[in-house]
Amino acid sequence: MDQKCSLDDFRPVRLILPGLLSFYGLPIPYSLDELSAGEAPSVVDGLMFELHTLPVDGKTVPDGDGVNVYVNTTDVRESSLVPHEVHMAAVERNLARAQRNYAMADALHKQITDAGYKVLNINDEEILARKYRIRLRGIDAPENQQPYGKEAKDELVKIVDGKCLKIQVFDEDQYGRFVGDVYCNGLFVQKRMLKKGLAWHYTAYDKRPQFEKWEKEARAKGIGLWALPNPEMPWEWRRKHRQNRF
Ligand SMILES: *[C@@H]1O[C@H](CO)[C@@H](O)[C@H](O)[C@H]1NC(C)=O
């Protein structure tokens, strides 16, 4: 399978990049002028920022309402955010590898991953990518230990595995995850999860009427977790299990 996502998924940024950084395939820090000139502001209410991810590795999906994604740091927004130490570690790692000093290269890569970045090999192209932990906004899927927890996770893996996602981030949660709406080739992922009866509308945090409607439809059909006589809300389940732990 071609691991590279269609260029339509990315912003059409074309810059001729001279020198050492581009030689090593590393991001060039963009100036704010370039950023504001290239990017029209988004009009989605409450939107913090939008991510365009590299192909997702389905094996890293933790459950039915979370994904771990990587973003190409040559992306306009990302390039200006890469910390200097990460940048330097990536340059030094390339040098270490060129000198076949693999112990040094591994140590440098650990430094990079500890900082939330990773060097990925995609189609024989090495790129520095930034990791994001994403919580799907407005839905709550059964926990892995609950009935239909596995089905929910499997469905999410099926949707996102190998795909590039568009993620609109609105918030950050108490666990440091970004809370966002996730789209996969035009498919609204939360909608799919709700309609398949594999997630609840997370009403404590989300009031969107479409979400309520999609959950209602699944309930009426009795599909997914709605086939259970007495499905337990994941937030109730978590509350109980937290109490048992202490
Ligand atoms: C990462 O972004 C750069 C610059 O836009 C591009 O040349 C490269 O192909 C991208 N890599 C992947 C794997 O998408």
Side-chain angles (χ1 to χ4, degrees):
M1 187 184 66
D2 186 3
Q3 280 288 294
K4 199 152 177 174
C5 296
S6 119
L7 277 176
D8 295 346
D9 290 344
F10 298 99
R11 300 183 189 95
V13 178
R14 290 280 175 275
L15 292 178
I16 310 299
L17 307 169
L20 189 69
L21 294 177
S22 62
F23 177 77
Y24 287 118
L26 290 168
I28 307 299
Y30 290 77
S31 74
L32 286 173
D33 286 352
E34 281 167 306
L35 268 181
S36 54
E39 288 270 49
S42 176
V43 290
V44 182
D45 202 26
L47 182 68
M48 281 169 66
F49 55 87
E50 185 171 298
L51 300 174
H52 295 260
T53 79
L54 290 161
V56 174
D57 178 359
K59 290 193 290 293
T60 67
V61 171
D63 50 36
D65 53 35
V67 282
N68 291 310
V69 299
Y70 286 92
V71 175
N72 192 344
T73 53
T74 46
D75 175 284
V76 182
R77 180 178 165 269
E78 289 302 333
S79 69
S80 60
L81 300 174
V82 180
H84 181 68
E85 311 82 68
V86 171
H87 213 104
M88 290 320 295
V91 172
E92 284 168 25
R93 176 177 173 271
N94 276 321
L95 292 172
R97 277 160 55 99
Q99 294 162 354
R100 297 178 195 278
N101 185 347
Y102 297 114
M104 171 71 84
D106 286 351
L108 287 161
H109 198 226
K110 182 168 184 306
Q111 220 174 296
I112 293 168
T113 51
D114 287 350
Y117 288 78
K118 196 171 183 179
V119 178
L120 296 176
N121 190 307
I122 297 179
N123 290 341
D124 293 326
E125 183 194 1
E126 289 227 313
I127 61 164
L128 181 63
R130 175 164 173 201
K131 181 179 180 180
Y132 284 91
R133 290 159 60 231
I134 304 294
R135 176 69 174 75
L136 273 60
R137 178 180 178 228
I139 67 168
D140 200 358
E143 297 296 324
N144 290 325
Q145 305 91 321
Q146 284 189 273
Y148 286 92
K150 186 182 179 312
E151 283 82 350
K153 176 177 161 173
D154 289 349
E155 177 66 20
L156 186 55
V157 170
K158 204 172 86 187
I159 298 170
V160 302
D161 189 35
K163 306 275 180 33
C164 297
L165 307 177
K166 180 178 103 173
I167 303 175
Q168 295 186 324
V169 172
F170 292 84
D171 207 357
E172 193 174 350
D173 76 4
Q174 55 181 319
Y175 308 106
R177 296 175 300 186
F178 287 108
V179 183
D181 286 343
V182 180
Y183 299 87
C184 183
N185 294 329
L187 176 93
F188 185 21
V189 177
Q190 287 108 301
K191 176 179 178 181
R192 166 65 62 89
M193 297 302 288
L194 287 169
K195 290 195 95 164
K196 286 219 152 183
L198 293 172
W200 299 66
H201 180 200
Y202 206 174
T203 49
Y205 295 96
D206 191 288
K207 307 290 181 205
R208 283 179 281 185
Q210 316 91 291
F211 277 44
E212 189 186 325
K213 174 173 152 271
W214 296 326
E215 184 194 282
K216 238 184 221 157
E217 284 168 15
R219 277 179 187 260
K221 287 187 193 147
I223 60 171
L225 70 94
W226 307 116
L228 295 168
N230 215 351
E232 185 176 22
M233 298 164 195
W235 53 91
E236 279 299 320
W237 188 94
R238 286 194 299 270
R239 194 178 53 80
K240 273 189 210 157
H241 286 254
R242 258 199 301 275
Q243 278 173 355
N244 291 346
R245 230 182 293 147
F246 299 114

